[in-house]
Amino acid sequence: MSPNGLVQHVGGRAAIAVVCAVVMTMTLLYLPGRMFSACSSILGSYILVLGVDCFVRTGYMNHLAVITKCRLDVVYHAERSAMMLQAVALVLAIIGGFVQ
């Protein structure tokens, strides 16, 4: 667990974003039904976890702000509660994908 995410270098983050965008675009072109199910389940799980974090205040929003570089004034250290919410989001996305 790292406070700045798995990839520390800016170039590495850009490369991962480009690879993910290309894979998602190709998948959307050839399998639109399955891709829509996957995208909606991932988006729904993250929105649910962010909503929970607004009330519980575990620091998950700060975690995302640091990783995405949205806010530079946030100081964040990887905490167990935020990582647990990340795991919950992943499990909800998988369950949502299977249900759809």
Side-chain angles (χ1 to χ4, degrees), residues 12-28:
R13 289 181 187 181
I16 288 176
V18 168
V19 168
C20 287
V22 168
V23 168
M24 290 176 70
T25 302
M26 289 303 180
T27 307
L28 185 60

Side-chain angles (χ1 to χ4, degrees), residues 17-96:
V18 168
V19 168
C20 287
V22 168
V23 168
M24 290 176 70
T25 302
M26 289 303 180
T27 307
L28 185 60
L29 289 175
Y30 294 110
L31 301 168
R34 290 186 182 178
M35 189 62 180
F36 180 75
S37 296
C39 288
S40 63
S41 65
I42 292 169
L43 181 64
S45 67
Y46 273 101
I47 289 174
L48 178 74
V49 169
L50 284 174
V52 168
D53 186 60
C54 287
F55 291 106
V56 180
R57 299 198 187 269
T58 61
Y60 187 69
M61 291 176 70
N62 290 337
H63 171 71
L64 291 179
V66 168
I67 288 176
T68 58
K69 302 288 187 200
C70 288
R71 290 179 46 201
L72 298 176
D73 62 338
V74 174
V75 176
Y76 175 77
H77 297 286
E79 296 178 9
R80 182 177 173 90
S81 58
M83 294 301 133
M84 292 300 292
L85 279 179
Q86 181 67 39
V88 167
L90 180 63
V91 169
L92 286 176
I94 291 170
I95 291 171

